[in-house]
Amino acid sequence: MAEVRREGQSTTTSQHSTGPRLVKAVLLHWHGARSPTMAALKRLKPEVSDFEGERLYEEWREMGMESLTSIGTHQMVQLGKWLREDYFDVEHPSFIQAHDCVHWYSSSSERAIESGQAFWKGFGCDEEPQEPLPLSSHPSELPQFYFQAWRFNKEFRMAVQQVIYQPDFKKLARANEALLRRVWKTISESAAEKYDPVEMLFYLPYIDEYSQCEAYWPSGQQVVLSKFAPEEQMEIAELSQWVTERKLFIPGFGSLIGGKLLHHVTETLRGEGTNSAKLSVYSCHDYSIYGVLSALGLPHLPSLPTHVLGFGSSLLFECYETEQKSRRVRVRLLPLPFRDPRFQPEYDVTKPTILDGLIDISFVGILPVIVQTRQNPSSKKDEKMKTIPLDILVKLSERFDLNWMKTSQYKHTVKALKAGHQMDDGMQAGAMPRFTHFMTVPFLAVMVVVLLRVVYSRRKAS
């Protein structure tokens, strides 16, 4: 059951205060610390034999790749506790009462579901939810379409593969060539010989992923972290963040990788259908959060004092009702809920505490097309507020959800998933640009026409 009630609060509400009143909230949170992906291991150590004799690799293989760790579980418990005790109970003490229910949605991945279950343990519920609610009543609407939409858009994956050809990407690779070669050579001689500087930069996020997983590993075993000083780790993390943003904030693709999830969030905020809960929580992935931010119109992440997103990063949507009964939405990002031991080696990862560093997402200037359609444009005072009218957010997400349904991959994806086929994980696997994607039906059709014209012209000449 995923519809639960809060415990430990009085059923009486406080006196109505003047000013905007919080009426609904939605939290999207990245899962807790996990073991690395096999894709990352393959990039760092191209030969399987490279891992032989490494105790850490054996521990990961025994637990299972991409699995939530005990520290990740503890992080999620603390995240739930923080949201209840240090945020809602302090800033909005009358928002959720004992008789109010909450909703839970989740990615289908085991680590996301386990993270959500741990979150609710920390949040405190009369009944801890065991299974997330379905995102749609249609059987073909699978959770992957919402939380991992980038997997099902071939055009987007092709665009990701092309970022290395952009001038600024090559420029950054050349500027950091010495660092990149030193890093890759330290980790793997075979990888350093295999990749050129541009490829080294393109694949650098795998090193960052590996070291981040290692930093929070319960046993404390290290393979990568021990080879670099905290200052070098910071350089790797910042470059990796830049590459990740270039892959996930590609202009024109925000609606396709985050629009469907954003649409569900706005419907939840609007309270349509079964989305009547005051608080709804979505357990997801880092790229789910990136996708929603891209769909909102952000060209990149806001300036982060922490430089990187960490496990448990969260996106909080707050819907306020004004005295005029209109509703406005505030979006806040919690980029690094827990200290990163890569940069602070003295930090005890077994005792995670929340860093309350919420950042407001400003809507000024990022939604020009939608804002211009309003009958009553916002005043200058309203523009300075970090909120957006709910009706504008709904219109935006409805358009994006429609765009998703029109994608060329949608019907094919539904059939493939129903047949139990695995989708190509091109972006996560870091596949470099190939020329096979040019052999599409339109390309072949053009080639046939060209050949026919050549044959016709030769026959006519003879």
Side-chain angles (χ1 to χ4, degrees), residues 302-343:
S303 298
L304 302 178
T306 55
H307 304 288
V308 295
L309 293 185
F311 291 121
S313 299
S314 302
L315 195 60
L316 180 63
F317 289 77
E318 299 175 331
C319 185
Y320 291 88
E321 186 174 82
T322 66
E323 294 179 349
Q324 293 76 30
K325 300 301 179 182
S326 63
R327 294 197 171 188
R328 299 186 68 91
V329 178
R330 181 187 190 186
V331 183
R332 311 185 78 185
L333 176 67
L334 183 64
L336 191 69
F338 309 100
R339 296 186 188 278
D340 196 322
R342 293 177 297 174
F343 318 136

Side-chain angles (χ1 to χ4, degrees), residues 181-353:
R181 290 193 180 280
R182 184 173 73 252
V183 168
W184 280 100
K185 188 174 182 179
T186 301
I187 292 176
S188 172
E189 289 281 356
S190 57
E193 294 175 359
K194 180 179 179 181
Y195 304 142
D196 61 36
V198 175
E199 292 173 314
M200 289 179 179
L201 180 61
F202 188 82
Y203 293 134
L204 193 64
Y206 290 113
I207 295 180
D208 186 58
E209 174 201 333
Y210 190 100
S211 63
Q212 193 174 23
C213 294
E214 208 175 80
Y216 293 102
W217 190 247
S219 72
Q221 290 289 319
Q222 294 184 356
V223 174
V224 172
L225 285 177
S226 59
K227 301 180 186 299
F228 302 105
E231 296 77 17
E232 291 177 304
Q233 288 286 348
M234 179 65 77
E235 288 184 277
I236 294 171
E238 290 180 340
L239 284 173
S240 299
Q241 186 68 38
W242 185 88
V243 173
T244 299
E245 289 188 27
R246 293 308 303 268
K247 290 180 179 180
L248 293 172
F249 285 94
I250 300 177
F253 285 96
S255 63
L256 298 177
I257 65 172
K260 194 166 185 64
L261 182 54
L262 177 62
H263 177 65
H264 198 278
V265 167
T266 57
E267 289 298 298
T268 298
L269 291 172
R270 191 163 61 167
E272 296 296 320
T274 60
N275 296 321
S276 58
K278 282 191 174 181
L279 171 66
S280 296
V281 174
Y282 295 71
S283 302
C284 55
H285 309 272
D286 56 340
Y287 43 75
S288 308
I289 294 175
Y290 280 114
V292 170
L293 289 173
S294 182
L296 284 171
L298 271 70
H300 51 72
L301 285 178
S303 298
L304 302 178
T306 55
H307 304 288
V308 295
L309 293 185
F311 291 121
S313 299
S314 302
L315 195 60
L316 180 63
F317 289 77
E318 299 175 331
C319 185
Y320 291 88
E321 186 174 82
T322 66
E323 294 179 349
Q324 293 76 30
K325 300 301 179 182
S326 63
R327 294 197 171 188
R328 299 186 68 91
V329 178
R330 181 187 190 186
V331 183
R332 311 185 78 185
L333 176 67
L334 183 64
L336 191 69
F338 309 100
R339 296 186 188 278
D340 196 322
R342 293 177 297 174
F343 318 136
Q344 298 173 310
E346 71 282 359
Y347 172 60
D348 186 355
V349 296
T350 64
K351 300 177 181 178
T353 54

Side-chain angles (χ1 to χ4, degrees), residues 36-44 66 206 209 425 428-430:
T37 62
M38 184 56 72
L41 295 180
K42 288 181 178 179
R43 288 299 171 192
L44 268 65
E66 303 182 57
Y206 290 113
E209 174 201 333
D425 195 358
Q428 191 169 357

Side-chain angles (χ1 to χ4, degrees), residues 48 95 135 155 233 334 345 421 437 441 445 459:
V48 177
F95 172 53
L135 288 147
E155 292 80 6
Q233 288 286 348
L334 183 64
H421 297 160
H437 63 263
V441 172
R459 286 185 177 180

Side-chain angles (χ1 to χ4, degrees), residues 332-397:
R332 311 185 78 185
L333 176 67
L334 183 64
L336 191 69
F338 309 100
R339 296 186 188 278
D340 196 322
R342 293 177 297 174
F343 318 136
Q344 298 173 310
E346 71 282 359
Y347 172 60
D348 186 355
V349 296
T350 64
K351 300 177 181 178
T353 54
I354 294 290
L355 297 174
D356 191 354
L358 284 167
I359 298 173
D360 283 294
I361 303 297
S362 176
F363 288 99
V364 178
I366 67 172
L367 299 173
V369 177
I370 300 297
V371 171
Q372 289 173 5
T373 64
R374 295 191 66 205
Q375 295 179 353
N376 300 313
S378 300
S379 65
K380 292 183 178 179
K381 182 179 179 180
D382 287 334
E383 287 181 357
K384 293 180 180 179
M385 294 175 61
K386 294 180 172 62
T387 61
I388 182 176
L390 178 59
D391 61 338
I392 289 180
L393 196 59
V394 170
K395 289 178 181 178
L396 175 74
S397 67

Side-chain angles (χ1 to χ4, degrees), residues 55-74:
R55 180 180 169 187
L56 182 58
Y57 173 67
E58 297 301 325
E59 290 179 4
W60 279 336
R61 190 167 62 175
E62 183 178 345
M63 166 175 273
M65 308 310 294
E66 303 182 57
S67 297
L68 189 71
T69 68
S70 58
I71 289 177
T73 299
H74 195 183

